[in-house]
Amino acid sequence: MRILHVAAEIYPLVKTGGLADVVAALPPALAKRGLDVRVLLPGFPGILDGMVDLKPLLRIGPLFGAAVVTFCIGRLPDSGLPAYVIDAPFLFRRDGNPYVGPDGQDWNDNHRRFALLAWAAAHLASAEIDPEWRPDIVHAHDWHAGLVPVYIAQNPALHTATVLTVHNLAFRGIFPLDSNAELGLPARKLTPLGVEFHGKISFMKAGLVYSNRITTVSPTYAREIRTAEFGCGLEGVLRDRGGELSGILNGVDYGVWKPDDPLIAKPYSAENLKGKKACKLALQTELGLAKTADRPLFAVVSRLTSQKGMDLLLAALPELLREGAQLAVLGSGDGDLEAGFKYAAAANPETVAVRIGYDEALSHRFMAGADVLLVPSRFEPCGLTQLYALRYGTLPLVRRVGGLADTVIDATTDNLAADRATGFVFGEATRLALGARISEASALYRDPEVWRRVQRRGMLQDFSWDDSAANYEALYRSLQTVGEKAGLATA
Ligand code: ADP
């Protein structure tokens, strides 16, 4: 079975969030199962620089505003898997973030940039870009690849099945309705049953309507997004397509995230946690925090946004300080939240430290050095950091939502007694609920024996890609047999 993954990010070449980690890890996990897997990526500078043996396959143009587009094939640096790269200098060779310019605003030609990505996928499906390889299934990730199922459905000669994975429904890829001509979308598709969304075009909705299967990255999020609270206005479509929608939990690349990784101060394991103490001391020293072992160190590695509940955390900070705990924050995002954390650090130099920015190596030192990782998200499709934290013996403290609810077992009296607990879970998205759980976690920290048991239980959890890859393979196989085209919206 030949599978093409289509995405805008891949770790370590271009990453803004968990999507990049998934796109790096899932294809090799599928290849390990014997599937013939390739990846299609836009030619951002980080991708062009990081690929191995990149060779041109086809040069054409003009296309979506680019004078010349060169489709290339090469190998991914880590997994060695074949990957197609779209070298369109005018559209993709831009520094910084794949989606926004230096002013923080979306690039104003994003509709054309990501339509080109989908167009390339459809033309790989028709073997017009690479006559030697043609996918049976195209797996599109997030709104960036949302037009893939549309373009494939638009070509009646193609019988390629499509899967769309929603990594975050809040980003819907919304563009003016009259961009349809540039995108090659016929007017008859501009209806609520097609790609239209409140007088605009939504790439995410397009993918949801036209793909053969929809997945999202945790079973709980797959249920939540059918409701108005989490559906971002797309809950109706998701309910309509409920029979084709399922949740498959993301995995962790334990080759990268492990408590003996080379980026941390001292290696340790579930059997011998001594090195973790050294990691905590090293992190406190690095961040200028008071060097103390007897106070819990809470940490955040996250985008600083209200989705991630960072405003709740700022509001609950007095509770954390009252407990005598420390807080270390690594992240960037909303200006107000960045300023709030910076102010808190300036006011409490020995107990609160903030590093604004994106720093992969430092994030490993945070995971290893902290006692508790805070993920108080308002919504969370899967969440990866709580999974990393578990492996490092850092207890996740999370809100009971999406993938967080699916992966962390709360340290209730019952779960502690049964030796099941792996972290802390709270319900309401309020300062009080978060503050109360922070206090309870601080109290548990004062009982080292119980704490160590929870750490060990967490470290033994297995969220590797093996199970997830098996689930995706089963999904692909279910698509091979059905006359899927018949069920598609082909209007
Ligand atoms: P999301 O994709 O919604 O941002 P996830 O938890 O799924 O959240 O994935 C976030 C990824 O980005 C994780 O790999 C996390 O370690 C990483 N990350 C987030 N912020 C930072 C940062 N400031 N520095 C380094 N890594 C970060």
Side-chain angles (χ1 to χ4, degrees):
M1 202 171 14
R2 289 179 299 269
I3 317 289
L4 179 70
H5 282 261
V6 186
E9 302 184 23
I10 188 162
Y11 170 85
L13 308 184
V14 170
K15 169 169 167 176
T16 72
L19 168 67
D21 293 354
V22 174
V23 176
L26 175 59
L30 291 165
K32 219 169 89 186
R33 302 181 64 81
L35 276 65
D36 181 358
V37 191
R38 298 189 178 188
V39 182
L40 168 65
L41 301 160
F44 298 130
I47 290 175
L48 291 170
D49 291 348
M51 291 286 298
V52 181
D53 293 340
L54 205 57
K55 293 186 200 73
L57 277 174
L58 175 70
R59 177 164 295 152
I60 52 170
L63 206 52
F64 293 103
V68 191
V69 177
T70 310
F71 298 98
C72 304
I73 186 164
R75 280 182 295 108
L76 292 169
D78 289 346
S79 61
L81 284 183
Y84 298 97
V85 175
I86 308 165
D87 187 10
F90 184 74
L91 293 174
F92 295 137
R93 282 205 211 167
R94 300 176 190 175
D95 286 337
N97 187 296
Y99 319 113
V100 299
D103 57 357
Q105 303 295 314
D106 290 348
W107 297 110
N108 62 13
D109 54 356
N110 271 350
H111 58 299
R112 282 189 269 116
R113 300 169 80 224
F114 293 105
L116 174 58
L117 179 65
W119 187 97
H123 287 77
L124 279 161
S126 62
E128 284 165 273
I129 293 178
D130 182 356
E132 286 172 17
W133 193 87
R134 148 190 220 148
D136 302 305
I137 292 173
V138 180
H139 188 153
H141 295 271
D142 262 352
W143 74 262
H144 325 124
L147 292 188
V148 169
V150 185
Y151 289 161
I152 288 180
Q154 238 161 242
N155 180 347
L158 289 181
H159 296 282
T160 321
T162 53
V163 176
L164 176 76
T165 293
V166 176
H167 295 261
N168 192 336
L169 197 62
F171 300 103
R172 293 166 299 186
I174 292 178
F175 302 101
L177 201 62
D178 61 9
S179 53
N180 72 302
E182 276 182 292
L183 299 174
L185 298 174
R188 67 174 185 281
K189 283 206 167 80
L190 307 180
T191 72
L193 292 177
V195 304
E196 188 267 352
F197 182 70
H198 299 286
K200 305 256 169 83
I201 291 172
S202 160
F203 279 26
M204 183 67 101
K205 180 176 174 187
L208 294 176
V209 170
Y210 288 92
S211 58
N212 295 89
R213 292 281 189 281
I214 303 165
T215 71
T216 185
V217 287
S218 69
T220 295
Y221 193 59
R223 285 191 298 276
E224 289 171 342
I225 56 178
R226 293 169 215 222
T227 67
E229 186 183 353
F230 295 97
C232 302
L234 292 166
E235 58 275 12
V237 186
L238 288 158
R239 277 200 300 268
D240 285 351
R241 299 227 49 206
E244 289 94 31
L245 165 64
S246 59
I248 299 177
L249 204 61
N250 283 337
V252 175
D253 185 345
Y254 288 126
V256 175
W257 298 98
K258 52 186 179 183
D260 58 351
D261 82 49
L263 299 169
I264 64 176
K266 198 153 190 210
Y268 57 95
S269 65
E271 294 72 44
N272 185 350
L273 282 156
K274 245 201 232 136
K276 186 161 177 64
K277 288 203 172 116
C279 290
K280 177 173 177 178
L281 187 65
L283 184 62
Q284 287 168 324
T285 309
E286 178 175 359
L287 298 177
L289 292 168
K291 290 178 233 164
T292 158
D294 52 0
R295 303 208 238 152
L297 172 55
F298 289 77
V300 166
V301 177
S302 177
R303 292 184 284 121
L304 303 180
T305 62
S306 80
Q307 180 208 324
K308 297 289 182 181
M310 289 296 115
D311 51 321
L312 298 176
L313 176 58
L314 267 180
L317 194 58
E319 201 60 42
L320 188 147
L321 296 176
R322 243 193 316 277
E323 290 294 337
Q326 296 178 319
L327 175 68
V329 175
L330 168 61
S332 61
D334 294 353
D336 288 354
L337 292 168
E338 289 184 0
F341 283 113
K342 279 198 242 174
Y343 177 81
N348 306 279
E350 300 234 299
T351 40
V352 179
V354 178
R355 292 291 178 273
I356 299 295
Y358 190 94
D359 187 332
E360 196 76 33
L362 184 56
S363 76
H364 283 245
R365 301 200 288 280
F366 265 58
M367 287 296 164
D371 297 302
V372 178
L373 184 86
L374 292 160
V375 196
S377 305
R378 287 202 162 72
F379 69 93
E380 192 59 75
C382 177
L384 291 173
T385 55
Q386 83 280 9
L387 304 179
Y388 304 154
L390 285 169
R391 189 41 67 109
Y392 286 82
T394 301
L395 276 44
L397 192 163
V398 305
R399 184 157 173 251
R400 188 177 298 103
V401 76
L404 301 172
D406 292 337
T407 54
V408 180
I409 303 168
D410 195 13
T412 58
T413 316
D414 283 354
N415 286 338
L416 284 171
D419 195 13
R420 271 196 303 258
T422 61
F424 307 95
V425 184
F426 70 100
E428 291 283 296
T430 63
R431 161 181 76 85
L432 290 178
L434 171 58
R437 215 69 192 103
I438 287 175
S439 293
E440 284 151 10
S442 304
L444 199 76
Y445 184 77
R446 292 190 278 273
D447 188 338
E449 213 171 288
V450 179
W451 190 269
R452 224 160 286 136
R453 259 211 327 267
V454 182
Q455 279 183 305
R456 290 214 174 94
R457 176 59 52 204
M459 293 178 86
L460 296 174
Q461 302 294 302
D462 183 3
F463 290 105
S464 60
W465 273 101
D466 298 347
D467 283 356
S468 312
N471 288 329
Y472 279 111
E473 182 181 345
L475 180 92
Y476 299 151
R477 296 216 178 272
S478 77
L479 274 167
Q480 271 192 316
T481 47
V482 194
E484 288 290 344
K485 282 269 164 174
L488 275 180
T490 47

